[in-house]
Amino acid sequence: MSDTVGSRDAGILLERTRSAVDPQLRSTIDTLPGTIRRVALYHFGWEQADGTPAGSAGKAIRPALVLAACRALGGDPQQAVRAAAAVELAHNFTLLHDDVIDEDPTRRHRPTAWAVFGIPDAIIAGDAMLALALRLFAEDPHPASVTASERLAASVIELCAGQQADCALEERAPHEVTLEECLAMATAKTGSLLGCACALGALYAGAGEEAAAALDAFGREAGLAFQLIDDLIGIWGDPMRTGKPAGADLAAHKKSLPVVAALASGTAAGAELAQLYRGPMNAAAVRRAADAVDAAGGRDWAQLQAAERMSRAIDELSRAVPDLTAAGDLLALAEFVTRRTR
């Protein structure tokens, strides 16, 4: 990967990230034993269930943030490739577990790992990925590796707390869940790892704690914007692009941010949504619930909130990189995750 400030097109940045990080990622995964390796390679999209070659892994947003943050602060992104791979492994640890918890049957347009290999093997493969992430730092001679390992571990613990809070919220009645709780949960569940990715890039560039904290805050705010958009896609996303049924989050009675905003709106549509959430969700009910979220203002609130969070993210970024032209790759990635439709 070039260490110059290249194209601001996020698609090109992500392709370059995959080219830089995938060899490290694959060689690391190849050290896993037998079935665990097979599950991991399937989950990443590199193999079919029978072990034959397949396509490629996901978008690599988090590794791209590591490398872009390193570059923005004058570092050499090549020195941060192990850190980028570690973040991607930690992220996929969460995906494997999330798919089990949510009972999601598909990811990236094909059956999830647990649906193919069973719940025990999917969970174990996720556990192994997290161990690999920490081992990458332990084997990394870069002077920032110890601090980076500590930071990733803290981020994963925070992320797990966010996941636990998410599960707990699902058990509560619609009127018992507050928007503030959901925002805190989303910041922990999504923002913590994106913030960590940016902070690791800063650390590998040799930046101090102040700059790392500013990049962490940038990633957290962008992460919350990411989650808001993700929640909108979970309701109105195109199944042909998402790989999941329309309104999947509503069918699962998920208390996503647009849903909770609608429930808290004090509107008739919000009351209708609460009633729908008390019963089973067939296709007709999902359509009615989506209309109710929209009519209650949940969709507009989420879109405005995402824009506000991105504004805050840019303010945080400017603390570490006053000349934002040097952070063009970071800004392109942030725009990509908040303008995506799938």
Side-chain angles (χ1 to χ4, degrees), residues 241-322:
R241 305 190 71 181
T242 65
K244 296 184 178 183
D249 284 0
L250 297 175
H253 294 79
K254 288 188 71 68
K255 297 180 180 71
S256 62
L257 289 164
V259 166
V260 176
L263 291 170
S265 66
T267 63
E272 180 187 4
L273 179 63
Q275 185 62 37
L276 287 166
Y277 256 48
R278 293 187 182 98
M281 284 283 207
N282 57 25
V286 166
R287 288 192 295 270
R288 287 176 58 200
D291 290 343
V293 174
D294 198 1
R299 189 176 195 168
D300 288 343
W301 174 86
Q303 290 170 335
L304 290 171
Q305 185 69 202
E308 169 63 22
R309 294 293 175 166
M310 274 312 305
S311 177
R312 295 186 194 181
I314 293 169
D315 287 344
E316 295 290 353
L317 179 60
S318 66
R319 289 170 47 210
V321 191

Side-chain angles (χ1 to χ4, degrees), residues 187-279:
T187 300
K189 186 177 174 181
T190 303
S192 63
L193 192 56
L194 287 169
C196 178
C198 296
L200 295 190
L203 292 173
Y204 271 73
E209 179 55 36
E210 186 175 346
L215 266 293
D216 186 285
F218 162 78
R220 284 173 178 272
E221 293 291 351
L224 191 50
F226 175 99
Q227 186 61 58
L228 286 154
I229 299 301
D230 199 59
D231 286 351
L232 289 170
I233 293 170
I235 299 174
W236 291 285
D238 180 356
M240 295 297 294
R241 305 190 71 181
T242 65
K244 296 184 178 183
D249 284 0
L250 297 175
H253 294 79
K254 288 188 71 68
K255 297 180 180 71
S256 62
L257 289 164
V259 166
V260 176
L263 291 170
S265 66
T267 63
E272 180 187 4
L273 179 63
Q275 185 62 37
L276 287 166
Y277 256 48
R278 293 187 182 98

Side-chain angles (χ1 to χ4, degrees), residues 6 9 15 79 87-88 113 127 136 139 160 167 185 221 226 254 261 266 321 335:
D9 182 85
E15 288 175 11
Q79 299 298 311
V87 169
E88 185 71 342
D127 294 342
L136 276 174
E139 296 173 346
C160 289
C167 293
M185 175 272 293
E221 293 291 351
F226 175 99
K254 288 188 71 68
V321 191
E335 181 179 13

Side-chain angles (χ1 to χ4, degrees), residues 118-142:
I119 289 174
D121 281 352
I123 291 175
I124 290 166
D127 294 342
M129 284 186 197
L130 182 57
L132 287 179
L134 296 176
R135 193 179 76 186
L136 276 174
F137 285 122
E139 296 173 346
D140 191 348
H142 195 283

Side-chain angles (χ1 to χ4, degrees), residues 38-239:
R38 183 181 171 194
V39 176
L41 290 171
Y42 173 84
H43 168 76
F44 269 98
W46 287 317
E47 288 188 359
Q48 304 288 4
D50 62 3
T52 56
S56 60
K59 299 183 185 71
I61 290 168
R62 289 153 191 81
L65 287 171
V66 175
L67 302 185
C70 184
R71 186 185 301 108
L73 289 171
D76 177 5
Q78 288 290 349
Q79 299 298 311
V81 166
R82 286 194 186 191
V87 169
E88 185 71 342
L89 284 164
H91 172 55
N92 281 275
F93 145 75
T94 70
L95 295 184
L96 277 162
H97 285 209
D98 281 358
D99 286 344
V100 171
I101 292 168
D102 296 339
E103 299 181 346
D104 281 338
T106 59
R107 178 174 292 279
R108 298 169 186 153
H109 303 278
R110 64 181 190 159
T112 45
W114 73 265
V116 173
F117 298 98
I119 289 174
D121 281 352
I123 291 175
I124 290 166
D127 294 342
M129 284 186 197
L130 182 57
L132 287 179
L134 296 176
R135 193 179 76 186
L136 276 174
F137 285 122
E139 296 173 346
D140 191 348
H142 195 283
S145 62
V146 173
T147 302
S149 178
E150 293 170 348
R151 196 154 199 143
L152 180 63
S155 174
V156 170
I157 291 170
E158 183 181 358
L159 190 156
C160 289
Q163 178 65 66
Q164 190 280 328
D166 189 18
C167 293
L169 290 175
E170 296 305 314
E171 297 299 318
R172 288 158 56 182
H175 68 277
E176 295 175 344
V177 177
T178 69
L179 198 50
E180 290 72 20
E181 287 178 303
C182 287
L183 286 167
M185 175 272 293
T187 300
K189 186 177 174 181
T190 303
S192 63
L193 192 56
L194 287 169
C196 178
C198 296
L200 295 190
L203 292 173
Y204 271 73
E209 179 55 36
E210 186 175 346
L215 266 293
D216 186 285
F218 162 78
R220 284 173 178 272
E221 293 291 351
L224 191 50
F226 175 99
Q227 186 61 58
L228 286 154
I229 299 301
D230 199 59
D231 286 351
L232 289 170
I233 293 170
I235 299 174
W236 291 285
D238 180 356

